[in-house]
Amino acid sequence: MAGAIITGIPVATGIAIGKAYFVNRNHMAHLPRQTVAAALVPDEILRLKEAFATVENELTVIREQVPEELKSHGSLIDTHLMMLKDPKLSSAAEGYIKSLGLNAAWALEKAVADQEAAFGAIHDEYIRERMQDVRVVADRVQTKLMGVENDLTAISGRAIIMAHDLTPADTVELQVDKIMAFATVRGGKTSHTGIMARSLAIPALVGVDKLEDSVRDGDLVIIDGLAGKIIVNPTESELEDYNERAAKFETYSRKIKRQCHLPAETFDGSRVQVLSNIELVEEVAAVLDNGGEGVGLYRTEYAYLNRTELPTEEELTEKYIDLASIMYPRKVVFRTLDLGSDKFIASFGELNEANPAMGLRAIRFCLKNPQLFKTQLRAILRASAYGNVSMMFPMISGVKEVRQAKAWLAQAKAELRREGLDYNPNMPVGTMIELPAAVMIADFLAHEVDFFSIGTNDLIQYSIGVDRTNRHVSYLYQPLHPATLRAIKLVVDAAHQAGIEVSLCGEVASDPFCVPILLGMGIDSISMTPQAIPGIKRIIRQINMHDCRILLKDVLECRTVSRINNLVMDNVFKHFPEEVSFFSSLLENDELPS
């Protein structure tokens, strides 16, 4: 038996075998917590400011060294620099030094904890994981306050990097050619650590709780980015097995990558568009490299996070035009601002909502703040003159919201016309379907818009009433719950009866076990992370639409999740017996508590 087997969240597929190398452990476990005399408070504040300035200088230098192939890392470092310059964090820490007499490290920790509490109250997993960036910046400042230095250049050969957390700046300092794979304690499925791993095309696990206790420097480890496992000091037979698996996976990956630019057409001639979800313009290269036929979901929130002032129309327009132009003639669907609350835009102050998940967010927030909304609408419209641009509104719960949003859109168009600025007057406008209310009135909504996009991550959580990040109830998060399937089917039917297209952009779209059911329903396009596209296209090209419809019929007659999951898994094992070990799926939990 191996020395230990620990688990984490796989964020980049593949298998790597090598020596473990820790670039940092949890320095914060030894954070000094002291109070300082009143006479020393000015010195402690100065120390805090100097630590922020030192980190800013370091990151500026590293940013200038980012190689061309890591452009996306450069954008993330820019974000960290922006956070350092944002006085919100440093001012809060300074306040704790002044008011409570805390030493700088402790004060900064409390300031970060305040922000974590605000982010933690947000329902949206994607937004919550943006908190990791704040933590990364704060940790770097803490190391200066504590006098801890990481010599990342000390690594002499290729290794599997282990870290409490890993930042874009770390990967630049480490030199990417030395990184075989990595695993971190922190991070989630949509965290920037995952984006980094996928852009490097190396296996990676995040959220590995027991990493620092189970692995030592120099241990031989296997990173299984397919099953989400780390095997520490494996046996000879385990090594032999994984060497064989790694070779097969490499062969499989090369094969599907060669075919990724072929159309996603079933064996009997049915066509579905395969698009991508992105948040940074720099991810476009990955979309095109992996055979993406467009961007089905461009998350626009990133430009608004962790800053003191709202982005200007010109700033947004420039970014949106870049994206639309690069992707042209391929489609780009902009989702309007889906921020959960004004906690992330300092100029809006605090809302103090008891239940932000049900509160003022997304389209509700935009309609309450029309000037902010109109600025973004104008920017998207202006980008529409340069590419194949569509726009959709998130978290729609009723017809009136759609009409209000479209009224502001009409006003933005009128302004642009008067000012002589170009835009596409026929730009398609859609709505996200992610609330049960929207599902139930899908037939009404279908006559208000040009397309639907089903956001299954939220739809599943709201339909079943479960927070999948809550370990006490996460077993209830079942993508193929009968209620979810019926909801999706109802939306697809309503869209097609009204003559509009329907897309799906949740994690279900990139699950090879679920795709045959989505095809059977008649979904027109699916949108996923760029790296999932080659595998999903391969699945689509190997299946038959007639079989998908039969499977859907059988599944819709099932009353339990376990019965549905069994049917779906049997189907995939039957058609892809040799490839199934390379698939990861959401269909792993039973619907009963363990």
Side-chain angles (χ1 to χ4, degrees), residues 382-399:
R382 290 172 65 182
S384 71
Y386 295 83
N388 182 2
V389 169
S390 301
M391 172 197 294
M392 61 184 177
F393 306 122
M395 208 180 177
I396 290 292
S397 62
V399 168

Side-chain angles (χ1 to χ4, degrees), residues 56-76:
E56 184 180 332
N57 289 337
E58 281 183 359
L59 289 185
T60 302
V61 171
I62 294 169
R63 177 66 180 91
E64 291 168 356
Q65 298 169 348
V66 173
E68 180 64 23
E69 62 269 26
L70 295 180
K71 278 175 65 180
S72 60
H73 293 215
S75 300
L76 300 179

Side-chain angles (χ1 to χ4, degrees), residues 28 31 52 55 83-84 89 105 108-109 111-112 131-145 186:
M28 299 313 122
L31 190 79
F52 268 87
V55 172
M83 291 180 191
L84 277 168
L89 187 63
L108 179 56
E109 176 63 15
V112 173
M131 181 61 211
Q132 191 189 347
D133 291 311
V134 179
R135 173 57 74 179
V136 160
V137 168
D139 280 0
R140 206 165 177 106
V141 176
Q142 292 284 25
T143 60
K144 301 302 171 193
L145 291 169
R186 287 189 183 147

Side-chain angles (χ1 to χ4, degrees), residues 396-398 433-442 445 459:
I396 290 292
S397 62
I433 302 290
E434 49 197 337
L435 296 176
V439 171
M440 298 311 296
I441 59 167
L445 291 173
L459 181 59

Side-chain angles (χ1 to χ4, degrees), residues 82 89 212 219 227 332 415 421 477 524 571:
M82 200 182 300
L89 187 63
E212 290 165 322
D219 279 345
V332 179
E415 289 177 0
L421 294 171
Y477 185 88
D524 299 293
N571 177 66

Side-chain angles (χ1 to χ4, degrees), residues 456 459-460 463-464 478-489:
T456 49
L459 181 59
I460 294 168
S463 296
I464 305 175
Q478 295 292 344
L480 299 186
H481 190 289
T484 308
L485 291 176
R486 289 181 179 211
I488 296 173
K489 180 75 167 53

